[in-house]
Amino acid sequence: MKKSVVALLALSVVCIAFAAIFVKLSAAPASIISMYRMLFAGILLSPIVFEYRRELSRPSIKEWWALMAAGLFLAMHFGFWFASLQLTSVASSTVILALQPLVAMVAAYLLYKEKVSARMLTAVFTSFFGVVLISWGDFSFTDLSAIFGNMLSFLGVMAVVAYFLIGQNTVRNLTHWVYSFLVFSIAGIFLLIYNIVTGTELIRYESREWGLFLLLALLPTIAHVIFNYLLNELSPATVSMAMLLEPVGASFLAYFILSESLTLLQVVGGLIVLTGVYFFLFSQHRERHARTL
């Protein structure tokens, strides 16, 4: 692997790992953080989308409904995940978020009857056992907020899987840039409506908060741009496996920046989850490779 590719891969992991830290540092409501994360990301993508503006007339009425649904689920994903980060540790929340490919496999099996190998099932059960250990490590008779935070993180996983399933199976005639711009913007509008209906303050926040909102949109967006570029150099499986370093990087940053500590059960559970997800992605890659031979 080229040194430049390794450097870009490392940069993307660091960028995306900072997302959880910025949420933790913010004192704003989770729905506000999520809203500006989406709206600012849409604004950042708009110069690129301008070059592809003709695509905006391509979606049919059915596809616009799919885009609306995808945007709604994406809004729910960030709303749930950011709320979870305000209740549980960065390590627990981000590790549970790593379950996304496993939940996607289960959903694809239930909805589209896609075949599941014994290796993949073993990876699923291994990872869910790790999640149980994480939640057990967060358990306290005096404070159950961390458990609730873990549940919100898992709801965030369910929402993002629904978002990906809609995008992969409904809207096929848009470039990644235009699709991302549309669903980011739609998600931001849904969150804006939610905040207006619930009477949440929209604009009166300190400059520090606005800086965090912008950084939260900027760094993960840079990470996704790098991931898309690296798909020209690396296989999707390699990029997906590299993304498993996000919980590790986020936990490392949380230890030094937020002084968050880890229990032994959280560490063991996190390692089990990441091991299960790794073997799932590895098995998936091997099966796809075998089918192409």
Side-chain angles (χ1 to χ4, degrees), residues 58-74:
R58 287 183 185 176
S60 63
I61 297 298
K62 180 181 177 181
E63 288 174 330
W64 275 111
W65 279 110
L67 286 165
M68 296 283 285
L72 176 60
F73 279 115
L74 189 62

Side-chain angles (χ1 to χ4, degrees), residues 12-31:
S12 62
V13 170
V14 171
C15 285
I16 206 166
F18 263 106
I21 305 302
F22 295 146
V23 175
K24 278 283 196 180
L25 290 173
S26 176
S31 59

Side-chain angles (χ1 to χ4, degrees), residues 128-262:
F128 276 107
F129 176 68
V131 170
V132 170
L133 288 183
I134 291 171
S135 296
W136 192 265
D138 282 333
F139 183 80
S140 169
F141 285 105
T142 58
D143 182 13
L144 296 177
S145 62
I147 298 293
F148 185 58
N150 292 343
M151 292 171 60
L152 287 175
S153 183
F154 187 72
L155 287 175
V157 173
M158 301 283 282
V160 79
V161 166
Y163 157 70
F164 280 124
L165 288 175
I166 291 170
Q168 290 172 359
N169 293 282
T170 308
V171 184
R172 297 177 180 273
N173 61 349
L174 297 176
T175 62
H176 170 77
W177 300 111
V178 175
Y179 179 79
S180 297
F181 168 77
L182 289 174
V183 292
F184 286 178
S185 301
I186 291 168
I189 292 169
F190 272 122
L191 288 162
L192 174 62
I193 294 170
Y194 173 84
N195 287 319
I196 291 173
V197 170
T198 56
T200 307
E201 175 58 46
L202 296 177
I203 58 175
R204 285 185 291 186
Y205 294 98
E206 297 178 3
S207 56
R208 174 180 178 274
E209 295 294 331
W210 288 102
L212 289 171
F213 298 158
L214 182 58
L215 285 170
L216 192 56
L218 181 62
L219 291 191
T221 301
I222 289 173
H224 288 297
V225 169
I226 293 173
F227 283 140
N228 289 330
Y229 169 76
L230 288 177
L231 288 174
N232 298 318
E233 301 284 338
L234 305 170
S235 69
T238 302
V239 175
S240 298
M241 288 176 188
M243 290 178 71
L244 292 182
L245 294 173
E246 179 191 352
V248 179
S251 301
F252 181 81
L253 292 171
Y255 178 81
F256 287 99
I257 297 174
L258 306 173
S259 300
E260 284 193 0
S261 58
L262 295 172

Side-chain angles (χ1 to χ4, degrees), residues 24-84:
K24 278 283 196 180
L25 290 173
S26 176
S31 59
I32 290 293
I33 305 172
S34 306
M35 181 184 77
Y36 285 117
R37 159 73 173 91
M38 292 288 89
L39 293 178
F40 285 171
I43 292 171
L44 289 170
L45 288 175
S46 57
I48 301 173
V49 172
F50 184 76
E51 297 294 322
Y52 299 92
R53 59 190 180 277
R54 292 182 180 178
E55 290 188 20
L56 295 174
S57 61
R58 287 183 185 176
S60 63
I61 297 298
K62 180 181 177 181
E63 288 174 330
W64 275 111
W65 279 110
L67 286 165
M68 296 283 285
L72 176 60
F73 279 115
L74 189 62
M76 293 169 62
H77 161 66
F78 281 109
F80 285 137
W81 182 41
F82 289 176
S84 80

